[in-house]
Amino acid sequence: MDEVTYELADLVATIIEPLIDEPESLEVTSEMDEPGHMLIEIKVSPDDVGKVIGRQGRIIKSIRTVTRAAASRQDLGVDVELIDQ
């Protein structure tokens, strides 16, 4: 994983960790799915999914906005997905 990929995944983990009750279950993975575009996947315990999504999806939308803004500085596209376990 290159430096930019690691930094964006770390950014997402840093945002989510204080929001959830079981931070040890947090897994954030990232990969370049095509040149210039990255996919970041978030896995949390089933009890914490609602906390990451937020009311009407506001928290996950905010996480996506912040991540896209950080990625745009490197001319990257990024998708952030919450994976059901």
Side-chain angles (χ1 to χ4, degrees):
M1 192 163 38
D2 69 350
E3 187 176 335
V4 173
T5 306
Y6 174 76
E7 287 176 0
L8 290 174
D10 192 40
L11 171 66
V12 171
T14 301
I15 293 170
I16 293 173
E17 195 170 334
L19 300 175
I20 59 178
D21 291 331
E22 299 176 35
E24 64 278 353
S25 69
L26 175 63
E27 292 180 40
V28 178
T29 58
S30 60
E31 63 183 43
M32 297 295 278
D33 58 352
E34 59 187 58
H37 195 270
M38 183 185 320
L39 174 65
I40 297 176
E41 296 179 335
I42 304 165
K43 293 180 186 175
V44 295
S45 73
D47 295 334
D48 289 330
V49 170
K51 293 174 183 145
V52 175
I53 294 172
R55 287 191 179 157
Q56 298 180 355
R58 288 185 181 131
I59 293 175
I60 193 68
K61 286 178 189 176
S62 297
I63 292 168
R64 288 177 177 141
T65 300
V66 168
T67 307
R68 286 182 182 135
S72 71
R73 299 185 82 203
Q74 303 291 328
D75 293 325
L76 288 174
V78 66
D79 286 327
V80 178
E81 297 295 328
L82 182 62
I83 305 299
D84 293 332
Q85 291 186 3

